[in-house]
PDB file of all heavy atoms in Angstrom:
ATOM      1  N   LYS A 400     109.485  72.206  81.464  1.00 89.00           N
ATOM      2  CA  LYS A 400     108.463  71.511  80.592  1.00 89.00           C
ATOM      3  C   LYS A 400     109.110  70.495  79.599  1.00 89.00           C
ATOM      4  O   LYS A 400     108.555  69.464  79.344  1.00 89.00           O
ATOM      5  CB  LYS A 400     107.693  72.599  79.812  1.00 89.00           C
ATOM      6  CG  LYS A 400     106.516  73.139  80.543  1.00 89.00           C
ATOM      7  CD  LYS A 400     105.665  74.065  79.694  1.00 89.00           C
ATOM      8  CE  LYS A 400     104.712  74.904  80.576  1.00 89.00           C
ATOM      9  NZ  LYS A 400     104.329  76.099  79.951  1.00 89.00           N
ATOM     10  N   PRO A 410      97.514  64.049  83.514  1.00 81.00           N
ATOM     11  CA  PRO A 410      98.146  62.728  83.509  1.00 81.00           C
ATOM     12  C   PRO A 410      97.908  62.033  82.173  1.00 81.00           C
ATOM     13  O   PRO A 410      98.854  61.452  81.573  1.00 81.00           O
ATOM     14  CB  PRO A 410      97.429  61.924  84.570  1.00 81.00           C
ATOM     15  CG  PRO A 410      96.916  63.008  85.541  1.00 81.00           C
ATOM     16  CD  PRO A 410      96.698  64.232  84.771  1.00 81.00           C
ATOM     17  N   GLU A 411      96.662  62.116  81.590  1.00 83.00           N
ATOM     18  CA  GLU A 411      96.391  61.416  80.304  1.00 83.00           C
ATOM     19  C   GLU A 411      97.308  62.012  79.245  1.00 83.00           C
ATOM     20  O   GLU A 411      97.867  61.296  78.433  1.00 83.00           O
ATOM     21  CB  GLU A 411      94.901  61.571  79.921  1.00 83.00           C
ATOM     22  CG  GLU A 411      93.905  60.759  80.722  1.00 83.00           C
ATOM     23  CD  GLU A 411      93.609  61.472  82.051  1.00 83.00           C
ATOM     24  OE1 GLU A 411      93.904  62.669  82.172  1.00 83.00           O
ATOM     25  OE2 GLU A 411      92.955  60.826  82.996  1.00 83.00           O
ATOM     26  N   ALA A 412      97.388  63.424  79.235  1.00 87.00           N
ATOM     27  CA  ALA A 412      98.164  63.983  78.136  1.00 87.00           C
ATOM     28  C   ALA A 412      99.645  63.546  78.254  1.00 87.00           C
ATOM     29  O   ALA A 412     100.279  63.286  77.351  1.00 87.00           O
ATOM     30  CB  ALA A 412      98.005  65.528  78.249  1.00 87.00           C
ATOM     31  N   PHE A 413     100.106  63.562  79.562  1.00 87.00           N
ATOM     32  CA  PHE A 413     101.499  63.166  79.747  1.00 87.00           C
ATOM     33  C   PHE A 413     101.763  61.727  79.383  1.00 87.00           C
ATOM     34  O   PHE A 413     102.802  61.464  78.672  1.00 87.00           O
ATOM     35  CB  PHE A 413     101.873  63.303  81.322  1.00 87.00           C
ATOM     36  CG  PHE A 413     103.192  62.893  81.757  1.00 87.00           C
ATOM     37  CD1 PHE A 413     104.318  63.741  81.293  1.00 87.00           C
ATOM     38  CD2 PHE A 413     103.412  61.794  82.487  1.00 87.00           C
ATOM     39  CE1 PHE A 413     105.573  63.352  81.717  1.00 87.00           C
ATOM     40  CE2 PHE A 413     104.661  61.418  82.926  1.00 87.00           C
ATOM     41  CZ  PHE A 413     105.751  62.254  82.519  1.00 87.00           C
ATOM     42  N   MET A 414     100.834  60.848  79.622  1.00 87.00           N
ATOM     43  CA  MET A 414     100.966  59.434  79.252  1.00 87.00           C
ATOM     44  C   MET A 414     100.951  59.315  77.712  1.00 87.00           C
ATOM     45  O   MET A 414     101.663  58.496  77.095  1.00 87.00           O
ATOM     46  CB  MET A 414      99.847  58.543  79.853  1.00 87.00           C
ATOM     47  CG  MET A 414      99.818  58.535  81.364  1.00 87.00           C
ATOM     48  SD  MET A 414     101.160  57.725  82.130  1.00 87.00           S
ATOM     49  CE  MET A 414     100.590  56.024  81.998  1.00 87.00           C
ATOM     50  N   ALA A 415     100.080  60.130  77.121  1.00 89.00           N
ATOM     51  CA  ALA A 415      99.952  60.002  75.691  1.00 89.00           C
ATOM     52  C   ALA A 415     101.150  60.595  74.912  1.00 89.00           C
ATOM     53  O   ALA A 415     101.564  60.107  73.900  1.00 89.00           O
ATOM     54  CB  ALA A 415      98.684  60.753  75.240  1.00 89.00           C
ATOM     55  N   GLU A 416     101.660  61.634  75.542  1.00 89.00           N
ATOM     56  CA  GLU A 416     102.792  62.354  74.831  1.00 89.00           C
ATOM     57  C   GLU A 416     104.068  61.573  74.887  1.00 89.00           C
ATOM     58  O   GLU A 416     104.847  61.673  73.872  1.00 89.00           O
ATOM     59  CB  GLU A 416     102.986  63.714  75.495  1.00 89.00           C
ATOM     60  CG  GLU A 416     103.839  64.645  74.572  1.00 89.00           C
ATOM     61  CD  GLU A 416     103.897  66.114  75.206  1.00 89.00           C
ATOM     62  OE1 GLU A 416     103.090  66.414  76.081  1.00 89.00           O
ATOM     63  OE2 GLU A 416     104.878  66.765  74.868  1.00 89.00           O
ATOM     64  N   PHE A 417     104.384  60.925  75.993  1.00 90.00           N
ATOM     65  CA  PHE A 417     105.678  60.266  76.088  1.00 90.00           C
ATOM     66  C   PHE A 417     105.608  58.751  76.222  1.00 90.00           C
ATOM     67  O   PHE A 417     104.635  58.247  76.848  1.00 90.00           O
ATOM     68  CB  PHE A 417     106.408  60.739  77.252  1.00 90.00           C
ATOM     69  CG  PHE A 417     106.606  62.295  77.233  1.00 90.00           C
ATOM     70  CD1 PHE A 417     105.917  63.126  78.114  1.00 90.00           C
ATOM     71  CD2 PHE A 417     107.462  62.888  76.345  1.00 90.00           C
ATOM     72  CE1 PHE A 417     106.047  64.541  78.086  1.00 90.00           C
ATOM     73  CE2 PHE A 417     107.692  64.265  76.325  1.00 90.00           C
ATOM     74  CZ  PHE A 417     106.926  65.088  77.141  1.00 90.00           C
ATOM     75  N   ASP A 418     106.565  57.985  75.655  1.00 92.00           N
ATOM     76  CA  ASP A 418     106.546  56.531  75.906  1.00 92.00           C
ATOM     77  C   ASP A 418     107.276  56.268  77.210  1.00 92.00           C
ATOM     78  O   ASP A 418     107.836  57.182  77.952  1.00 92.00           O
ATOM     79  CB  ASP A 418     107.140  55.827  74.700  1.00 92.00           C
ATOM     80  CG  ASP A 418     108.580  56.194  74.449  1.00 92.00           C
ATOM     81  OD1 ASP A 418     109.253  56.726  75.401  1.00 92.00           O
ATOM     82  OD2 ASP A 418     109.148  55.904  73.419  1.00 92.00           O
ATOM     83  N   GLU A 421     110.880  57.580  77.969  1.00 94.00           N
ATOM     84  CA  GLU A 421     110.835  59.063  77.993  1.00 94.00           C
ATOM     85  C   GLU A 421     110.227  59.539  79.348  1.00 94.00           C
ATOM     86  O   GLU A 421     110.799  60.398  79.932  1.00 94.00           O
ATOM     87  CB  GLU A 421     109.986  59.649  76.828  1.00 94.00           C
ATOM     88  CG  GLU A 421     110.649  59.692  75.509  1.00 94.00           C
ATOM     89  CD  GLU A 421     109.719  60.090  74.370  1.00 94.00           C
ATOM     90  OE1 GLU A 421     108.548  59.850  74.511  1.00 94.00           O
ATOM     91  OE2 GLU A 421     110.240  60.569  73.373  1.00 94.00           O
ATOM     92  N   ARG A 422     109.130  58.885  79.719  1.00 93.00           N
ATOM     93  CA  ARG A 422     108.553  59.308  81.011  1.00 93.00           C
ATOM     94  C   ARG A 422     109.540  59.057  82.223  1.00 93.00           C
ATOM     95  O   ARG A 422     109.690  59.907  83.051  1.00 93.00           O
ATOM     96  CB  ARG A 422     107.265  58.470  81.291  1.00 93.00           C
ATOM     97  CG  ARG A 422     106.106  58.909  80.368  1.00 93.00           C
ATOM     98  CD  ARG A 422     104.828  58.562  80.992  1.00 93.00           C
ATOM     99  NE  ARG A 422     104.636  57.129  81.224  1.00 93.00           N
ATOM    100  CZ  ARG A 422     104.126  56.310  80.270  1.00 93.00           C
ATOM    101  NH1 ARG A 422     103.844  56.796  79.137  1.00 93.00           N
ATOM    102  NH2 ARG A 422     103.993  55.036  80.518  1.00 93.00           N
TER     103      ARG A 422
END
Side-chain angles (χ1 to χ4, degrees):
Chain A
K400 272 187 195 158
E411 288 82 13
F413 179 69
M414 299 292 275
E416 193 177 342
F417 302 109
D418 63 15
E421 279 172 337
R422 287 204 297 276

